[in-house]
Amino acid sequence: MGINNFDKQSVINYANSSQIISLYIGIFITVFIYSFIMYLLTTLSNAIFLSVFGYLSTWVARIKMRYVAIFNMSIYALTLSVFLNILYIAVNIFIDFKMEYFQVMYVSVAAIYLVAAIFILKSEFIKQQEELMKIIEAQEIVKKEMEEKEEEEKREKEKKERQKKDKEEEKKEKKENSGEEPQGSNA
């Protein structure tokens, strides 16, 4: 910073000079990065805590889900809480406004969103299973109808073949009978 002597006058001179702006900017950037990292780590720990809670909720709801999917859902569930926390911090900067159990509410809102999403997924899964069962039943009905139709066509084909065979036998018998009668009349 270029200060060799640290006395009262040099500090006052430094504070009144244009170099103080670079000091303010440096302190602001340092505090901002520190705050950002701390807030990120806090949010990440809340997401991990919430995802474990969500995993237990899926176990209670008897839904098999991968942990990664639950973790992603917990991050999405935290978005409203994060925005509320940012608003709370901004209000606290300008107004002395304290909420005693804000962190409890912060996690509770996200937990409610996550559990609601899990149970909505369960109900959607149940609806899909019902639709799948209806489709399977319809396929079985169509399959039976097709089998019956094929059997009927097979019977009709066999009936036509028998009729054709019977006609050929009748023609053959008529030929034989017409050929035998003249022989019998000659005798």
Side-chain angles (χ1 to χ4, degrees):
M1 297 183 125
I3 298 175
N4 296 333
N5 248 352
F6 193 73
D7 58 357
K8 232 180 188 184
Q9 189 58 37
S10 62
V11 171
I12 291 172
N13 290 341
Y14 185 78
N16 291 334
S17 71
S18 63
Q19 292 178 345
I20 195 70
I21 294 174
S22 63
L23 179 67
Y24 289 150
I25 291 173
I27 290 173
F28 174 77
I29 290 173
T30 305
V31 169
F32 180 78
I33 290 172
Y34 171 77
S35 299
F36 179 77
I37 290 172
M38 292 307 294
Y39 192 73
L40 181 70
L41 291 176
T42 303
T43 305
L44 185 62
S45 66
N46 285 335
I48 291 170
F49 170 73
L50 195 60
S51 63
V52 169
F53 178 73
Y55 189 77
L56 293 175
S57 297
T58 59
W59 185 70
V60 168
R62 292 192 171 107
I63 299 175
K64 289 188 178 183
M65 287 181 73
R66 295 182 339 189
Y67 179 77
V68 174
I70 297 169
F71 183 76
N72 289 338
M73 288 173 60
S74 67
I75 289 173
Y76 285 121
L78 276 171
T79 54
L80 178 65
S81 297
V82 167
F83 287 130
L84 289 175
N85 196 22
I86 291 171
L87 182 66
Y88 179 69
I89 290 170
V91 167
N92 276 334
I93 289 172
F94 299 111
I95 302 170
D96 190 25
F97 177 74
K98 300 290 180 193
M99 224 185 244
E100 195 168 327
Y101 294 107
F102 183 78
Q103 287 298 325
V104 173
M105 185 217 41
Y106 175 86
V107 175
S108 299
V109 167
I112 290 169
Y113 272 135
L114 183 63
V115 171
I118 288 170
F119 283 108
I120 288 171
L121 284 175
K122 182 179 180 181
S123 68
E124 290 295 321
F125 180 73
I126 290 171
K127 286 179 186 176
Q128 286 178 353
Q129 289 293 338
E130 290 174 356
E131 290 176 12
L132 185 62
M133 293 302 292
K134 288 178 184 177
I135 290 171
I136 290 172
E137 289 175 3
Q139 284 178 341
E140 288 178 4
I141 291 171
V142 169
K143 186 177 178 182
K144 285 180 183 179
E145 289 176 356
M146 292 294 289
E147 288 174 356
E148 290 174 0
K149 187 176 179 182
E150 287 175 2
E151 284 183 29
E152 188 176 314
E153 288 175 356
K154 188 177 177 182
R155 283 187 215 132
E156 287 182 23
K157 187 176 178 182
E158 288 176 358
K159 184 178 177 182
K160 286 180 182 179
E161 287 178 3
R162 273 192 241 125
Q163 287 176 351
K164 188 176 179 183
K165 192 175 181 182
D166 288 344
K167 285 182 181 179
E168 287 177 2
E169 286 180 10
E170 284 179 16
K171 285 182 182 178
K172 194 175 182 182
E173 284 180 15
K174 283 184 182 180
K175 281 185 181 180
E176 288 177 5
N177 287 341
S178 62
E180 289 178 6
E181 285 179 8
Q183 289 176 357
S185 59
N186 286 340

